[in-house]
Structures are given as structure tokens and as C-alpha cells.
Amino acid sequence: MFGPSTVPDFVLPGSLKSFHLQTQADIGVLSMLPIGLGGVELGCVVQGPAEGPDMLLSGVARQKHLTRLSILSSYVPEQELLWPAAGPAYSVLTGNSSMVSLAVSGRLPEGVLLHVFPAEHRLPHLTYLKFGSELNLEDQVPIAPPPVWTASDLSRLVGCCPNLYSFKNVSLQRGRHVSVLTQLQDLQTLHVQYGPAPIAGP
């Protein structure tokens, strides 16, 4: 279904419950993991448009029991992928209501937060959330533009994930709406940067 992995002879026992790949691989390696994993930590290389969101989300969707997911995507510079608009398929990232830890870094499409944290979804066990790219401290610009959390995004998050303990890579619009985070009574770690200011209405 997917192209060959850059990790040769990639065969794992079906009894495996957690997988951490220390060597970077192409994103097709997700399709080669045994079904039934509870934890996946993976560094992926996206070679080009053929290895974009569809491959990533299809690989995640195979794992029905994930409680811990960490994916850092990087890109071949000469074939850097322009991600399309986010769609409902992104909901597979939080498809398991038993999710405890979610870290997704790399290029993310605009509008992705609406689908990853829909209003009707509940993740009562999620305590760790890291969503979006790291900040490059040398030039003070993100490695890739992070999704900016709007007032409605934050309200959905608080309703969806009331027990967050750590919330990182948060890019916020300036405004009083960020006070909704005070409802996260267990929050102990918060890493924030300010995104673009909201556009003023007429």
C-alpha cells in the first residue's frame, strides 16, 4: 500500500505494545507496525506529496488502541510538502478516548484543531499535549507555522481535555479569551507563544 520503509527488513512481533523508533524513517513505516500498539514514538521523513497527510493518518488509523502518540515529521527541502486544508480525517489523531499523551510536530494545515479536538469529543485521560512546531530560538521564528488557537479552539479543548497536566507549543491570539485556560485545574506546564493578532471586524 505504501512505499518501502527506509528501515530495511522492518519486522516486529505482533505482541509488541509500545514502539519507539530512534532512527528517522519515511512515514510509510507506520503501515508496517503491528496492530495493537498502545504507544508509538516516531520521527518521520516526508519525501514528497505522495507521502503526505493521507499516509500519516492511514497509519495512525490502523492503531485502534493508542494511548500515547508522538510523531515528528520533517521534510526533504527540495520537495517540501504544501499541506492541503485540514479535513475530518484528522480526527483519527485523537480517535481513542483513552489517549493519555499526544505530541504531533511538523507542518500542520490550517483548521486542523477543529477536527482534532471536536466539540463533541471527550479525552478525559489526556494529560500531555504538544501540538505544533518547536520555536527556533536563534531567529525567533517557528520551524513551521504552528496552528493558532482561537477562542473557540481553546473552549473546545477545555471541554474535550479537562485534565491536561502539560500543554506545550501553544500559539495564541492575543486577547482575554485565553483566560478559559484557568478551567484546566490540573495544568502545571504551559509553553506559549503569540501568533498573529486577530483581524478586526468592520
Side-chain angles (χ1 to χ4, degrees):
M1 181 165 56
F2 301 134
S5 169
T6 54
V7 178
D9 302 321
F10 200 70
V11 179
L12 294 170
S15 60
L16 204 66
K17 297 303 179 186
S18 183
F19 180 70
H20 179 165
L21 183 64
Q22 292 180 302
T23 303
Q24 199 170 49
D26 70 48
I27 210 164
V29 76
L30 279 168
S31 70
M32 306 174 72
L33 298 180
I35 296 175
L37 290 174
V40 173
E41 187 168 345
L42 200 61
C44 296
V45 176
V46 177
Q47 299 287 349
E51 297 184 358
D54 288 346
M55 181 174 286
L56 168 65
L57 299 176
S58 295
V60 173
R62 293 178 70 248
Q63 302 296 336
K64 305 296 185 182
H65 305 288
L66 279 178
T67 58
R68 299 180 181 273
L69 174 63
S70 177
I71 295 180
L72 171 61
S73 298
S74 60
Y75 301 85
V76 177
E78 62 271 18
Q79 295 182 332
E80 185 170 352
L81 181 64
L82 296 177
W83 288 57
Y90 280 87
S91 64
V92 303
L93 293 174
T94 51
N96 187 347
S97 60
S98 297
M99 185 73 71
V100 173
S101 175
L102 175 65
V104 180
S105 301
R107 187 175 295 279
L108 295 165
E110 185 177 351
V112 71
L113 297 171
L114 172 65
H115 302 291
V116 179
F117 303 100
E120 68 280 3
H121 198 33
R122 294 294 177 269
L123 296 168
H125 304 289
L126 191 72
T127 57
Y128 180 87
L129 176 60
K130 182 179 178 183
F131 203 78
S133 298
E134 299 283 358
L135 190 68
N136 186 332
L137 296 180
E138 291 184 0
D139 54 15
Q140 293 296 308
V141 296
I143 296 172
V148 177
W149 294 76
T150 64
S152 58
D153 292 329
L154 290 177
S155 293
R156 283 197 311 273
L157 178 74
V158 168
C160 179
C161 314
N163 298 312
L164 275 183
Y165 180 94
S166 181
F167 188 18
K168 296 184 177 181
N169 289 2
V170 189
S171 184
L172 298 175
Q173 292 179 336
R174 297 180 184 272
R176 295 177 60 87
H177 66 274
V178 300
S179 63
V180 72
L181 293 177
T182 61
Q183 297 178 37
L184 297 175
Q185 298 182 4
D186 294 327
L187 192 65
Q188 295 194 23
T189 301
L190 180 63
H191 292 185
V192 173
Q193 58 181 298
Y194 277 118
I199 300 174

